[in-house]
Every structure is written in structure tokens, then in C-alpha cells.
């Protein structure tokens, strides 16, 4: 009995000691800065040059991130990422990368031209991978709706790349609005200096050799095939409808974010626009059906989600600006270089630059006169990228992101309504030659958001959802 008791005591004591060993924090075992493999996020990048390169670099700032693979159709553009992440596997085709690396990756960053956002993102979500997608979330309204639904179906952590959504500026403005400092908002003006690339152009012509180690067919992806032309790649694709979404798609996700985040709105029910005329000869207007216009004004009407009226939102680009508020002194800056937004309420106005930067009440002297509300909203000190990384590690439904698809999807739909109006304005009826009949889209369009349909101009509905190239 004595021997058995001694043996039991030894086993019990040994078990306690062993248990104690295993609950020592892993950072103690690994030393300062140690992050256990189970606490790391393995990321694959779709797009590794240009914005893709900077996105991967931002994720890599977190000690919890491994960049394990990335792909890019242009090896020259991806050279910087290849050098920066020598252990990461390089691919040309994102479909091949996802298939071969599916057991090695937890999350995917999509930083391609707009026309491949949706298909690449959906392919990753179908594999159960968390996704970070550059703005605008999608090329088309229909795609935004599909990704929003897919995020819920596949239960993955999502984030759109509108970094200002994690900034302090938009949260300050929300606190001011909620405190009633500007009263009930009736209208908002937003604007950008974009495009800063060519737009309003005739379709490019001529024969050009495809650069070495550049997979042009993969770059075209789901769009209608076009011969290679340097007018499209590597940067100016934004100005062509087949690949980009123009000035609105480039900047509205940054500049209009405070509008959508602060006010009680969801989908617009009306949209109209106006564009500048361009003439190649007297009375002969230029046809730039393939290219986004050089400038535009878009008017959106939103029913308030609380049922208390409407809110008018006006967007301007191409150097067009709203009238300076009377409350803004002649030499005070209106927004910043990229653009800005001005809220007009029944008790006053507030303004910020792009990304919600430098928010201020108007007149600016109110900032010293008013008793500003105390902070109520949680801030994001880690930033937009690392916020998503941390949320992925915590898991679906546990972490928090500033622009999950449940927010970013409807927001993107709302923005792309402006492009639907622009493209409808450009429609020409080849059967009609009279001046008054030439442009059918110059009207107010009525939007049925539930069914994603323009109800009073059926020709416009071709721009809700595009046709994909065979195989995509």
C-alpha cells in the first residue's frame, strides 16, 4: 500500500507539473515578440504590383502575418514584392494559386483592376478564406450584391480597402452629428479632383507587342477581349469602362464614406447626372462610349431609413466643385487636394477632406465656441489593415472590421448607381438621327433597389450586370 500510495502521489504531482508546463504563455517560451504559429495569419495576395505591393507591405507590418503566396499577371510589376517576400510562392493565375495553396492560406487580399475584383474574391470566399478587397468592392452593382450575400453564406471575415473608414475623422463627425450640432441633414456635397489620368477618349487603336512576362489574356480576365494597348496597362485602365469605374469608382468609397456611415441611408431611389460635351467638329459630338467621361455631376436621392424624409447627395469630379459655403472664409481650405464632403443641416454645416481628414464644423470658429461631445465611438489605433488581420485571427463573428461587406456591399451599390446614370447618359440610339433623340439616357432614373432594376428606362439595366467572357 505504501508503494502504491507513493506511486500515485508521484503521478499526481507529475501531472500537475506537466499541466503547469503546458500553460506557460507561449510568448514566454518563444521570447520577446514571439507569436505562436496558431496565432498567425497566412495571407495570399491577388495582385502584387502597384496597390497590391503596398497592400501586402501594410499587412506585413503585423508580426502576426505571413505572406505565403501571391500572384500577378505582370512579372515586372510584381518584382518589388518578389524581392520583399522571397519565401512567398509566385503565380501568374490566381485560380492556380488558390487551388495549389488552399491548404496553406487563411486569407486573401485582392488588389487587381476593378473588373476582376468580384470573381477573385468570390473564388477565395468559396474556399472559406477571409478576404480584404480594394475599393470599389466590385465593378458592377450586381456583383456587390452577390459578394454581400456570399460573405454571410461562407462566414468569412471581410474588409473593403477604404482606409478612411477606420480613421478618427469619420468617428468625430458621427459624434458631432449624433450630438445634434448640425441638426437634421438635408443635403450633402462631395467632390474629387480625379481623374488624374486620361478620360473622355476615343478607343485606342494600333498594334502593340505584349511586354515580356506579361499574361495579357489573364489580365483581361472576365471582360470582353481587347488587343493589348499601353492605354490600358499598367495604370490608365481606370478610365475605361471594360476595366475600371472612373473617378467615381476610384474616390467615392473614400470621400463619400462619412455620408454613408453617418446618415440613416441605405440605397438611393433616384439618380441623375450631367456630363460635359466634347466636340470633334461643329455640332459633331465626340463619341467616348468606351471611356469614362472627363468630368461629371451626379445627383442621388436617398429615402431616410427612419422614414423621416429624404437626403440629397451631389457628387462632382473632374475639377468641378460645389459653391463654397458662406460660412467658410475666402482663404480657408475647402476639403483637401483629393476632394472633400460638406454636410448641410438645419443647425449648421460640417466638412472634411478625403478619407474624413481634418473634420471641422462651419464656420470653423465653432470648433472653439462649441462644447464638443465626449468620445463615444471606439477608435481603430491599429489601422484598417491590421484591424482586418486581428479580426481574421479571432474568427468570423468575433472580431470587428470597419468596412465588412454587409456595409461595403450596399455602399458600393449606392456609388455605382452614379456610373449607371453616366453610362445611360451616353447611350445612343443608332435608329434615330434627330438632335433631340440622340441621347436617350438624359433623364432622372428611378431605382428599385430590392430587384436591382431601373423602372423607367429599361436600356439602363444593361449596366447593372455585365456579361462575362467564356471561361470566366
Amino acid at each position: 500500500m505504501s508503494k502504491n500510495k507513493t506511486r500515485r502521489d508521484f503521478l499526481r504531482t507529475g501531472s500537475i507539473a506537466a499541466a503547469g508546463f503546458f500553460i506557460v504563455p507561449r510568448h514566454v517560451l518563444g521570447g520577446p515578440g514571439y507569436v505562436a504559429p496558431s496565432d498567425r495569419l497566412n495571407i495570399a495576395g491577388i495582385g502584387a504590383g502597384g496597390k497590391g505591393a503596398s497592400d501586402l507591405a501594410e499587412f506585413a507590418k503585423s508580426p502576426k502575418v505571413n505572406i505565403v503566396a501571391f500572384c500577378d499577371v505582370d512579372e515586372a510589376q510584381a518584382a518589388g514584392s518578389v524581392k520583399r517576400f522571397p519565401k512567398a510562392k509566385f503565380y501568374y493565375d490566381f485560380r492556380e494559386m488558390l487551388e495549389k495553396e488552399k491548404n496553406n492560406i487563411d486569407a486573401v487580399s485582392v488588389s487587381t483592376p476593378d473588373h476582376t475584383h468580384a470573381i477573385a474574391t468570390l473564388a477565395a470566399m468559396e474556399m472559406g478564406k477571409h478576404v480584404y478587397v480594394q475599393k470599389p468592392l466590385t465593378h458592377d452593382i450586381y456583383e456587390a450584391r452577390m459578394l454581400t450575400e456570399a460573405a454571410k453564406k461562407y462566414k468569412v471575415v471581410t474588409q473593403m480597402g477604404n482606409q478612411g473608414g477606420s480613421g478618427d475623422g469619420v468617428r468625430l463627425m458621427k459624434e458631432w452629428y449624433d450630438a445634434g450640432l448640425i441638426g437634421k441633414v438635408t443635403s450633402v456635397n462631395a467632390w474629387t479632383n480625379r481623374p488624374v489620368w486620361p478620360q473622355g477618349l476615343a478607343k485606342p487603336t494600333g498594334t502593340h507587342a505584349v511586354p515580356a512576362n506579361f499574361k495579357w489574356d489573364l489580365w483581361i480576365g472576365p471582360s470582353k477581349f481587347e488587343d493589348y494597348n499601353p492605354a490600358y496597362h499598367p495604370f490608365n485602365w481606370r478610365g475605361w469602362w471594360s476595366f475600371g469605374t472612373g473617378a467615381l469608382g476610384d474616390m467615392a468609397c473614400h470621400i463619400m464614406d462619412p455620408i454613408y456611415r453617418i446618415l440613416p441611408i441605405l440605397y438611393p431611389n433616384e439618380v441623375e447626372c450631367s456630363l460635359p460635351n466634347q466636340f470633334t467638329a461643329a455640332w459633331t459630338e465626340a463619341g467616348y462610349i468606351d471611356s469614362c467621361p472627363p468630368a461629371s455631376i451626379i445627383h442621388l436621392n436617398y429615402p431616410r431609413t427612419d422614414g423621416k424624409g429624404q437626403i440629397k447627395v451631389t457628387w462632382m469630379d473632374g475639377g468641378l466643385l460645389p459653391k463654397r459655403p458662406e460660412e467658410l472664409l475666402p482663404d480657408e481650405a475647402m476639403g483637401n487636394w483629393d476632394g472633400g464632403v460638406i454636410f448641410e443641416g438645419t443647425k449648421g454645416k460640417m466638412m472634411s477632406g478625403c478619407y474624413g481628414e481634418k473634420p471641422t464644423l462651419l464656420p470653423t470658429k465653432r470648433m472653439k465656441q462649441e462644447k464638443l461631445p465626449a468620445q463615444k465611438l471606439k477608435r481603430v489605433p491599429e489601422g484598417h489593415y491590421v484591424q482586418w488581420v486581428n479580426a481574421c485571427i479571432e474568427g468570423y463573428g468575433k472580431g470587428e472590421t470597419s468596412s465588412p461587406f454587409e456595409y461595403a456591399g450596399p455602399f458600393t451599390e449606392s456609388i455605382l448607381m452614379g456610373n449607371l446614370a453616366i453610362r445611360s447618359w451616353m447611350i445612343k440610339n443608332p435608329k434615330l438621327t434627330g438632335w433631340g433623340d440622340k441621347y436617350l439616357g438624359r433623364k432622372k432614373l428611378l431605382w428599385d433597389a430590392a430587384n436591382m432594376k431601373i423602372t423607367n428606362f429599361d436600356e439602363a439595366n444593361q449596366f447593372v450586370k455585365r456579361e462575362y467572357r467564356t471561361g470566366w
Side-chain angles (χ1 to χ4, degrees):
M1 288 181 62
S2 178
K3 287 182 179 180
N4 289 338
K5 182 176 182 299
T6 301
R7 183 173 181 274
R8 285 196 301 270
D9 290 343
F10 172 80
L11 291 173
R12 186 173 70 86
T13 303
S15 298
I16 294 172
F21 173 79
F22 283 113
I23 63 172
V24 171
R26 285 172 291 186
H27 71 272
V28 173
L29 296 178
Y34 174 75
V35 179
S38 59
D39 292 336
R40 287 183 180 272
L41 188 72
N42 292 331
I43 297 177
I46 300 178
K51 189 59 182 171
S54 62
D55 284 345
L56 292 173
E58 287 294 328
F59 294 128
K61 289 180 180 179
S62 170
K64 301 176 183 178
V65 164
N66 289 324
I67 305 299
V68 298
F70 50 79
C71 63
D72 200 293
V73 297
D74 189 339
E75 190 172 333
Q77 289 291 310
S81 293
V82 171
K83 183 177 180 180
R84 182 170 190 143
F85 305 106
K87 295 181 180 179
K89 294 182 180 179
F90 176 78
Y91 296 86
Y92 286 109
D93 192 331
F94 75 83
R95 297 166 298 182
E96 179 186 6
M97 180 186 73
L98 291 177
E99 179 59 33
K100 290 186 176 180
E101 302 293 336
K102 62 185 176 183
N103 295 326
N104 301 323
I105 60 176
D106 308 305
V108 174
S109 172
V110 179
S111 310
T112 65
D114 302 347
H115 67 294
T116 48
H117 279 191
I119 57 168
T121 302
L122 185 58
M125 287 197 291
E126 288 175 338
M127 291 183 171
K129 309 304 179 185
H130 308 302
V131 285
Y132 183 103
V133 186
Q134 263 308 323
K135 53 74 200 167
L137 184 63
T138 59
H139 185 274
D140 302 335
I141 293 170
Y142 173 83
E143 292 175 334
R145 185 73 60 93
M146 294 303 102
L147 291 193
T148 303
E149 295 177 359
K152 296 177 183 178
K153 177 179 178 180
Y154 296 110
K155 300 186 184 307
V156 293
V157 177
T158 58
Q159 181 96 297
M160 182 173 72
N162 57 324
Q163 299 91 327
S166 290
D168 289 353
V170 68
R171 286 163 176 75
L172 276 171
M173 296 173 80
K174 174 66 172 170
E175 289 163 348
W176 299 345
Y177 173 80
D178 289 347
L181 295 187
I182 64 170
K184 181 180 178 181
V185 170
T186 55
S187 63
V188 188
N189 285 299
W191 69 96
T192 183
N193 65 336
R194 298 323 192 259
V196 292
W197 53 83
Q199 286 193 182
L201 304 176
K203 188 172 181 177
T205 58
T207 301
H208 300 269
V210 178
N213 299 319
F214 177 34
K215 310 301 182 183
W216 174 246
D217 189 74
L218 288 178
W219 189 92
I220 289 287
S223 294
K224 180 182 177 182
F225 186 82
E226 303 275 359
D227 289 330
Y228 167 75
N229 195 294
Y232 302 136
H233 177 80
F235 179 71
N236 292 335
W237 54 266
R238 290 191 183 279
W240 302 96
W241 289 123
S242 291
F243 315 118
T245 49
L248 184 73
D250 181 47
M251 295 304 290
C253 287
H254 294 312
I255 294 171
M256 292 180 67
D257 183 65
I259 304 173
Y260 208 78
R261 200 173 290 275
I262 292 170
L263 300 178
I265 58 176
L266 185 59
Y267 297 114
N269 61 358
E270 298 175 358
V271 61
E272 56 184 311
C273 74
S274 59
L275 310 177
N277 293 325
Q278 291 179 285
F279 291 87
T280 56
W283 303 101
T284 304
E285 288 193 51
Y288 47 87
I289 303 302
D290 295 295
S291 176
C292 308
S296 70
I297 301 175
I298 297 163
H299 302 284
L300 295 157
N301 183 73
Y302 289 89
R304 290 173 59 103
T305 54
D306 58 12
K308 298 180 179 180
Q310 315 280 324
I311 296 176
K312 306 289 185 181
V313 175
T314 298
W315 167 269
M316 298 181 178
D317 58 44
L320 301 176
L321 297 172
K323 185 179 182 298
R324 289 175 64 88
E326 294 295 334
E327 299 88 344
L328 192 64
L329 297 178
D331 295 327
E332 289 182 316
M334 189 171 80
N336 58 15
W337 184 82
D338 291 303
V341 60
I342 299 173
F343 292 74
E344 299 186 9
T346 54
K347 295 182 180 180
K349 300 175 183 177
M350 64 181 178
M351 174 184 72
S352 78
C354 181
Y355 303 104
E357 291 181 351
K358 296 184 178 180
T360 183
L361 297 171
L362 297 179
T364 56
K365 63 183 180 182
R366 286 187 67 191
M367 297 298 294
K368 295 180 179 179
Q369 296 172 341
E370 293 280 355
K371 182 180 179 180
L372 300 179
Q375 178 180 321
K376 291 185 178 180
L377 300 177
K378 181 182 177 182
R379 301 304 196 250
V380 188
E382 68 272 29
H384 204 61
Y385 290 91
V386 176
Q387 181 199 51
W388 174 73
V389 168
N390 294 339
C392 291
I393 291 172
E394 290 182 55
Y396 179 79
K398 298 177 182 178
E400 180 180 353
T401 58
S402 297
S403 289
F405 289 2
E406 64 188 75
Y407 168 84
F411 179 32
T412 300
E413 286 188 49
S414 179
I415 287 170
L416 293 179
M417 279 300 304
N419 278 344
L420 181 146
I422 290 173
R423 300 188 74 179
S424 298
W425 172 287
M426 292 176 167
I427 288 177
K428 294 182 180 181
N429 188 334
K431 297 180 181 179
L432 301 176
T433 57
W435 185 261
D437 296 325
K438 197 171 184 181
Y439 295 94
L440 301 181
R442 299 185 180 185
K443 56 165 60 179
K444 178 184 288 186
L445 302 176
L446 305 180
W447 179 243
D448 175 359
N451 296 300
M452 290 186 287
K453 184 177 182 181
I454 295 293
T455 59
N456 66 329
F457 184 54
D458 193 55
E459 289 90 339
N461 289 310
Q462 64 184 290
F463 305 120
V464 175
K465 176 187 177 183
R466 62 192 162 135
E467 296 297 323
Y468 294 105
R469 191 160 63 113
T470 301
W472 291 86

Short mmCIF file of all heavy atoms in Angstrom, two decimals, residues 90-114:
data_model
loop_
_atom_site.label_atom_id
_atom_site.label_comp_id
_atom_site.label_asym_id
_atom_site.label_seq_id
_atom_site.Cartn_x
_atom_site.Cartn_y
_atom_site.Cartn_z
N PHE A 90 5.29 32.50 -56.07
CA PHE A 90 4.76 33.42 -57.07
C PHE A 90 3.99 32.66 -58.14
O PHE A 90 4.43 31.61 -58.63
CB PHE A 90 5.89 34.21 -57.72
CG PHE A 90 5.42 35.12 -58.82
CD1 PHE A 90 4.81 36.32 -58.53
CD2 PHE A 90 5.56 34.74 -60.15
CE1 PHE A 90 4.36 37.15 -59.55
CE2 PHE A 90 5.12 35.57 -61.18
CZ PHE A 90 4.51 36.77 -60.87
N TYR A 91 2.83 33.20 -58.50
CA TYR A 91 1.99 32.63 -59.56
C TYR A 91 1.56 33.75 -60.49
O TYR A 91 1.56 34.93 -60.13
CB TYR A 91 0.74 31.97 -58.97
CG TYR A 91 1.00 30.78 -58.08
CD1 TYR A 91 1.27 30.95 -56.72
CD2 TYR A 91 0.93 29.49 -58.58
CE1 TYR A 91 1.50 29.86 -55.90
CE2 TYR A 91 1.15 28.38 -57.76
CZ TYR A 91 1.43 28.57 -56.43
OH TYR A 91 1.64 27.49 -55.61
N TYR A 92 1.13 33.36 -61.69
CA TYR A 92 0.51 34.31 -62.61
C TYR A 92 -1.01 34.31 -62.46
O TYR A 92 -1.64 35.37 -62.49
CB TYR A 92 0.86 33.95 -64.07
CG TYR A 92 2.26 34.28 -64.48
CD1 TYR A 92 3.19 33.27 -64.71
CD2 TYR A 92 2.66 35.61 -64.68
CE1 TYR A 92 4.48 33.57 -65.13
CE2 TYR A 92 3.95 35.92 -65.08
CZ TYR A 92 4.85 34.89 -65.30
OH TYR A 92 6.14 35.19 -65.70
N ASP A 93 -1.60 33.13 -62.33
CA ASP A 93 -3.05 32.96 -62.36
C ASP A 93 -3.58 32.76 -60.93
O ASP A 93 -3.16 31.82 -60.24
CB ASP A 93 -3.39 31.74 -63.23
CG ASP A 93 -4.87 31.63 -63.56
OD1 ASP A 93 -5.70 32.08 -62.74
OD2 ASP A 93 -5.19 31.07 -64.62
N PHE A 94 -4.49 33.60 -60.49
CA PHE A 94 -5.00 33.48 -59.12
C PHE A 94 -5.76 32.17 -58.92
O PHE A 94 -5.78 31.62 -57.81
CB PHE A 94 -5.88 34.68 -58.76
CG PHE A 94 -7.25 34.69 -59.37
CD1 PHE A 94 -8.30 33.98 -58.80
CD2 PHE A 94 -7.51 35.44 -60.51
CE1 PHE A 94 -9.57 34.00 -59.36
CE2 PHE A 94 -8.77 35.48 -61.08
CZ PHE A 94 -9.80 34.75 -60.50
N ARG A 95 -6.35 31.64 -59.98
CA ARG A 95 -7.08 30.38 -59.84
C ARG A 95 -6.14 29.23 -59.52
O ARG A 95 -6.43 28.37 -58.69
CB ARG A 95 -7.88 30.10 -61.13
CG ARG A 95 -8.93 31.16 -61.42
CD ARG A 95 -9.47 31.06 -62.83
NE ARG A 95 -8.42 31.28 -63.82
CZ ARG A 95 -8.64 31.30 -65.14
NH1 ARG A 95 -9.87 31.11 -65.60
NH2 ARG A 95 -7.64 31.50 -65.98
N GLU A 96 -4.98 29.22 -60.18
CA GLU A 96 -3.98 28.19 -59.90
C GLU A 96 -3.44 28.37 -58.48
O GLU A 96 -3.26 27.39 -57.74
CB GLU A 96 -2.83 28.28 -60.90
CG GLU A 96 -1.73 27.26 -60.66
CD GLU A 96 -0.54 27.44 -61.58
OE1 GLU A 96 -0.49 28.44 -62.33
OE2 GLU A 96 0.37 26.59 -61.52
N MET A 97 -3.18 29.61 -58.09
CA MET A 97 -2.65 29.85 -56.75
C MET A 97 -3.62 29.38 -55.68
O MET A 97 -3.23 28.70 -54.72
CB MET A 97 -2.37 31.35 -56.56
CG MET A 97 -1.81 31.69 -55.18
SD MET A 97 -1.63 33.46 -54.89
CE MET A 97 -3.35 33.94 -54.68
N LEU A 98 -4.90 29.72 -55.82
CA LEU A 98 -5.87 29.31 -54.81
C LEU A 98 -5.99 27.80 -54.72
O LEU A 98 -6.10 27.23 -53.62
CB LEU A 98 -7.24 29.93 -55.11
CG LEU A 98 -7.36 31.44 -54.95
CD1 LEU A 98 -8.75 31.91 -55.35
CD2 LEU A 98 -7.05 31.87 -53.51
N GLU A 99 -5.94 27.14 -55.84
CA GLU A 99 -6.06 25.69 -55.84
C GLU A 99 -4.85 25.02 -55.19
O GLU A 99 -4.98 24.12 -54.36
CB GLU A 99 -6.24 25.18 -57.27
CG GLU A 99 -6.36 23.66 -57.38
CD GLU A 99 -7.53 23.09 -56.59
OE1 GLU A 99 -8.56 23.77 -56.47
OE2 GLU A 99 -7.40 21.95 -56.07
N LYS A 100 -3.66 25.48 -55.54
CA LYS A 100 -2.44 24.84 -55.02
C LYS A 100 -2.12 25.24 -53.59
O LYS A 100 -1.48 24.48 -52.86
CB LYS A 100 -1.26 25.16 -55.93
CG LYS A 100 -1.35 24.48 -57.29
CD LYS A 100 -0.10 24.72 -58.12
CE LYS A 100 -0.17 23.96 -59.44
NZ LYS A 100 1.05 24.18 -60.27
N GLU A 101 -2.55 26.44 -53.17
CA GLU A 101 -2.20 26.94 -51.84
C GLU A 101 -3.37 26.90 -50.86
O GLU A 101 -3.26 27.41 -49.75
CB GLU A 101 -1.68 28.38 -51.95
CG GLU A 101 -0.48 28.56 -52.84
CD GLU A 101 0.77 27.90 -52.29
OE1 GLU A 101 0.85 27.70 -51.06
OE2 GLU A 101 1.67 27.57 -53.08
N LYS A 102 -4.47 26.29 -51.24
CA LYS A 102 -5.67 26.35 -50.43
C LYS A 102 -5.48 25.80 -49.01
O LYS A 102 -6.16 26.25 -48.08
CB LYS A 102 -6.83 25.63 -51.12
CG LYS A 102 -6.60 24.15 -51.37
CD LYS A 102 -7.77 23.57 -52.18
CE LYS A 102 -7.53 22.12 -52.53
NZ LYS A 102 -8.63 21.59 -53.38
N ASN A 103 -4.56 24.86 -48.85
CA ASN A 103 -4.32 24.31 -47.52
C ASN A 103 -3.26 25.09 -46.75
O ASN A 103 -2.99 24.78 -45.59
CB ASN A 103 -3.89 22.84 -47.63
CG ASN A 103 -5.00 21.96 -48.20
OD1 ASN A 103 -6.18 22.19 -47.95
ND2 ASN A 103 -4.62 20.96 -48.98
N ASN A 104 -2.66 26.08 -47.39
CA ASN A 104 -1.59 26.84 -46.75
C ASN A 104 -1.98 28.26 -46.38
O ASN A 104 -1.21 28.95 -45.72
CB ASN A 104 -0.37 26.90 -47.69
CG ASN A 104 0.15 25.53 -48.06
OD1 ASN A 104 0.16 24.61 -47.24
ND2 ASN A 104 0.59 25.38 -49.30
N ILE A 105 -3.15 28.69 -46.84
CA ILE A 105 -3.53 30.09 -46.62
C ILE A 105 -4.83 30.18 -45.82
O ILE A 105 -5.68 29.31 -45.88
CB ILE A 105 -3.69 30.86 -47.96
CG1 ILE A 105 -4.76 30.21 -48.84
CG2 ILE A 105 -2.37 30.95 -48.68
CD1 ILE A 105 -5.02 30.96 -50.12
N ASP A 106 -4.92 31.27 -45.06
CA ASP A 106 -6.12 31.56 -44.28
C ASP A 106 -6.93 32.69 -44.88
O ASP A 106 -8.15 32.78 -44.66
CB ASP A 106 -5.74 31.98 -42.85
CG ASP A 106 -4.80 31.01 -42.17
OD1 ASP A 106 -5.15 29.81 -42.11
OD2 ASP A 106 -3.72 31.43 -41.71
N ALA A 107 -6.27 33.59 -45.59
CA ALA A 107 -6.92 34.81 -46.05
C ALA A 107 -6.30 35.27 -47.37
O ALA A 107 -5.17 34.90 -47.70
CB ALA A 107 -6.79 35.90 -44.99
N VAL A 108 -7.06 36.10 -48.08
CA VAL A 108 -6.64 36.57 -49.40
C VAL A 108 -6.89 38.07 -49.51
O VAL A 108 -7.93 38.57 -49.10
CB VAL A 108 -7.43 35.84 -50.51
CG1 VAL A 108 -7.10 36.42 -51.88
CG2 VAL A 108 -7.12 34.34 -50.49
N SER A 109 -5.90 38.77 -50.07
CA SER A 109 -6.04 40.19 -50.38
C SER A 109 -6.17 40.35 -51.88
O SER A 109 -5.38 39.79 -52.64
CB SER A 109 -4.81 40.96 -49.87
OG SER A 109 -4.83 42.30 -50.32
N VAL A 110 -7.18 41.10 -52.32
CA VAL A 110 -7.44 41.29 -53.75
C VAL A 110 -7.15 42.74 -54.12
O VAL A 110 -7.83 43.66 -53.65
CB VAL A 110 -8.90 40.93 -54.11
CG1 VAL A 110 -9.16 41.17 -55.60
CG2 VAL A 110 -9.20 39.49 -53.73
N SER A 111 -6.14 42.95 -54.95
CA SER A 111 -5.71 44.30 -55.34
C SER A 111 -5.50 44.37 -56.84
O SER A 111 -4.46 44.78 -57.33
CB SER A 111 -4.41 44.66 -54.62
OG SER A 111 -4.50 44.44 -53.24
N THR A 112 -6.50 43.95 -57.58
CA THR A 112 -6.45 43.92 -59.04
C THR A 112 -7.21 45.12 -59.60
O THR A 112 -7.89 45.84 -58.87
CB THR A 112 -7.11 42.64 -59.56
OG1 THR A 112 -8.51 42.68 -59.21
CG2 THR A 112 -6.49 41.40 -58.94
N PRO A 113 -7.16 45.33 -60.92
CA PRO A 113 -8.10 46.28 -61.51
C PRO A 113 -9.55 45.87 -61.19
O PRO A 113 -9.84 44.70 -60.93
CB PRO A 113 -7.80 46.20 -63.01
CG PRO A 113 -6.35 45.84 -63.06
CD PRO A 113 -6.16 44.88 -61.91
N ASP A 114 -10.45 46.84 -61.26
CA ASP A 114 -11.82 46.64 -60.78
C ASP A 114 -12.53 45.47 -61.42
O ASP A 114 -13.35 44.79 -60.77
CB ASP A 114 -12.65 47.91 -61.04
CG ASP A 114 -12.07 49.15 -60.37
OD1 ASP A 114 -11.18 49.00 -59.51
OD2 ASP A 114 -12.51 50.26 -60.72
#
